[in-house]
């Protein structure tokens, strides 16, 4: 397989497995997400296992993969290198948390939920695209 | 003693998400951060549009596959359309400002032990919890 085709097929396969995992995990269930965030009420801790399982698998696998000189279908790894803590990181994450609780969707599950055809999922994704464009427009 | 199916499903899903993130790193050398991938796919002529678009097609295909395999791709219970619009706007602005969301910071960043991702994750879980508390009090 050529490098270009390999990268595209790989991205499609990774996205599909990612979406399948999100839907299986409970992250695409808005009421369940709110239950996970409801620490002082009827807390549903099961979604801890989503992050736990994902971090464990990726924590081990990504270290093994990083020993390679390069990925299979790209000349180099593209990993974030920033280490600065700033207002944009904290303020942005704070806003994200409010939106996550309000809608019950974070970006991945919002996109995967489009497959359910739920009007709320469609509205969420359209508004999310607008929000991203607003920030990109202000930064440009 | 039996383990509730919810917990098993959560773990199965988490393992799949971790494996998918590792696959993307292995084939493309990229971080599976959904916000960044989605943002990059909003500009069709930008470099790297194709792989990002296909990853997003995969996210939907995974949802469709889950519908076939498990009977549902999710539930939007308790989220009206107006609420979803406001939520989407907050999530779009917030994750773009923070350069990441639950996947890029919460999974990939924490797996790398990135201090930025640890701070981001603690912050969005804290404000999410406060928001749920406020919603419950106001309801």
């Amino acid at each position: 397989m050529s490098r270009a085709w390999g990268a595209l097929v790989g991205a499609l396969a990774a996205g599909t497995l990612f979406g399948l995992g999100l839907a299986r995990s409970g992250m695409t269930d808005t009421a369940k997400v709110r239950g996970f965030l409801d620490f002082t009420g009827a807390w549903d801790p099961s979604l801890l296992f989503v992050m736990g399982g994902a971090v464990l698998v990726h924590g081990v696998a990504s270290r093994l993969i990083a020993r390679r000189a390069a990925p299979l279908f790209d000349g180099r790894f593209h990993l974030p290198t920033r280490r600065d803590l700033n207002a944009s990181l904290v303020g942005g994450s704070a806003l994200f948390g409010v939106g996550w609780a309000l809608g019950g969707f974070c970006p991945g599950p919002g996109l995967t939920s489009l497959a359910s055809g739920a009007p709320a999922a469609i509205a969420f994704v359209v508004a999310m695209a607008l929000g991203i464009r607003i920030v990109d427009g202000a930064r440009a | 003693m039996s383990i509730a199916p919810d917990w098993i499903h959560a773990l199965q899903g988490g393992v799949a998400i971790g494996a998918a993130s590792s696959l993307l790193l292995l084939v493309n050398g990229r971080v599976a951060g959904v916000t960044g991938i989605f943002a990059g796919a909003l500009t069709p002529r930008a470099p790297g549009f194709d792989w990002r678009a296909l990853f997003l097609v995969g996210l939907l295909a995974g949802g469709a596959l889950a519908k076939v395999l498990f009977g549902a791709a999710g539930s939007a219970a308790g989220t009206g359309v107006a609420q979803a619009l406001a939520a989407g706007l907050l999530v779009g602005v917030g994750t773009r400002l923070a350069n990441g969301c639950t996947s890029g910071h919460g999974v990939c960043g924490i797996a790398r032990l990135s201090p930025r991702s640890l701070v981001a994750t603690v912050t969005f879980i804290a404000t999410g919890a406060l928001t749920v508390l406020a919603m419950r009090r106001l309801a």
Side-chain angles (χ1 to χ4, degrees):
Chain A
M1 196 164 11
S2 76
R3 177 178 277 193
W5 275 103
L8 294 179
V9 172
L12 180 63
T16 305
L17 183 60
F18 203 107
L20 189 64
L22 284 173
R24 181 58 160 176
S25 70
M27 291 293 289
T28 57
D29 182 334
T30 53
K32 195 165 183 61
V33 167
R34 284 191 205 96
F36 169 67
L37 292 170
D38 197 2
F39 296 110
T40 58
W43 188 41
D44 172 1
S46 61
L47 292 184
L48 274 177
F49 276 49
V50 183
M51 192 186 260
V55 167
L56 203 68
V57 168
H58 191 58
V60 173
S62 63
R63 274 165 184 77
L64 295 175
I65 293 164
R67 289 183 187 172
R68 299 176 52 93
L72 292 175
F73 301 119
D74 197 300
R76 65 182 184 91
F77 289 102
H78 305 265
L79 294 173
T81 51
R82 285 178 64 174
R83 295 183 71 81
D84 57 314
L85 305 176
N86 55 26
S88 174
L89 177 78
V90 176
S93 296
L95 286 178
F96 165 42
V98 174
W100 186 28
L102 184 65
F105 291 119
C106 53
L111 288 158
T112 294
S113 294
L114 290 177
S116 72
I122 297 167
F124 174 83
V125 171
V126 170
M128 177 169 78
L130 183 65
I132 288 172
R133 295 309 286 253
I134 289 170
V135 174
D136 285 354
R139 276 176 172 171
Chain B
M1 193 186 116
S2 65
I3 302 170
D6 278 21
W7 293 69
I8 296 178
H9 294 170
L11 186 60
Q12 288 170 339
V15 167
I17 291 163
S21 306
S22 304
L23 180 62
L24 191 68
L25 185 67
L26 177 65
V27 295
N28 290 10
R30 297 281 178 173
V31 171
V34 175
T35 300
I37 293 174
F38 183 62
L42 289 176
T43 313
R45 277 184 297 263
F49 169 81
D50 294 350
W51 77 263
R52 290 188 174 91
L54 281 169
F55 183 89
L56 298 175
V57 168
L59 279 184
L60 263 87
L65 203 58
K67 220 164 156 178
V68 174
L69 294 175
F70 314 128
S75 155
T79 301
V81 169
Q83 198 175 329
L85 284 172
L89 205 56
L90 284 164
V91 169
V93 169
T95 57
R96 197 62 174 149
L97 282 175
N99 282 315
C101 57
T102 5
S103 51
H105 281 312
V107 174
C108 297
I110 292 208
R112 279 200 319 278
L113 300 176
S114 152
R116 278 173 58 85
S117 294
L118 288 167
V119 167
T121 304
V122 168
T123 305
F124 63 66
I125 289 180
T127 58
L130 287 171
T131 304
V132 166
L133 181 64
M135 285 166 77
R136 193 151 46 76
R137 288 284 164 87
L138 294 171

